[in-house]
Amino acid sequence: MPRIEIKVIPNSSKDEIAEKDGKLIVKVSSPPEKGKANAAVLKLLKEKFGLSARIVSGEKSRRKVVEF
């Protein structure tokens, strides 16, 4: 299963996925509390790529590794 490193920016004005310097930046409007931002990240990745993902590492960090 492929793994990618992402940077998450919670409390953003809108939900979007961008690329900067070869890395994925995932912006979500959800706050980083009680897993809300993580759930929003996984939902956004599924909408964008059509694949289910899970967080492999970085559960409480802005830098995460996700596996599809």
Side-chain angles (χ1 to χ4, degrees):
M1 296 224 150
R3 292 182 178 195
I4 59 169
E5 184 179 326
I6 62 172
K7 180 179 179 184
V8 176
I9 301 174
N11 291 323
S12 184
S13 59
K14 61 182 177 177
D15 294 348
E16 66 180 342
I17 297 176
E19 182 269 331
K20 183 176 182 183
D21 299 329
K23 297 201 178 197
L24 278 182
I25 310 294
V26 181
K27 297 179 181 181
V28 293
S29 56
S30 300
E33 56 189 35
K34 298 182 182 176
K36 292 179 184 177
N38 287 341
V41 165
L42 295 176
K43 181 181 174 190
L44 189 59
L45 289 172
K46 182 167 176 100
E47 289 173 2
K48 177 73 173 179
F49 300 115
L51 299 169
S52 293
R54 69 182 183 98
I55 297 172
V56 178
S57 71
E59 194 72 29
K60 295 185 178 192
S61 171
R62 289 185 182 214
R63 299 214 178 263
K64 301 180 186 309
V65 175
V66 294
E67 180 178 83
F68 290 94

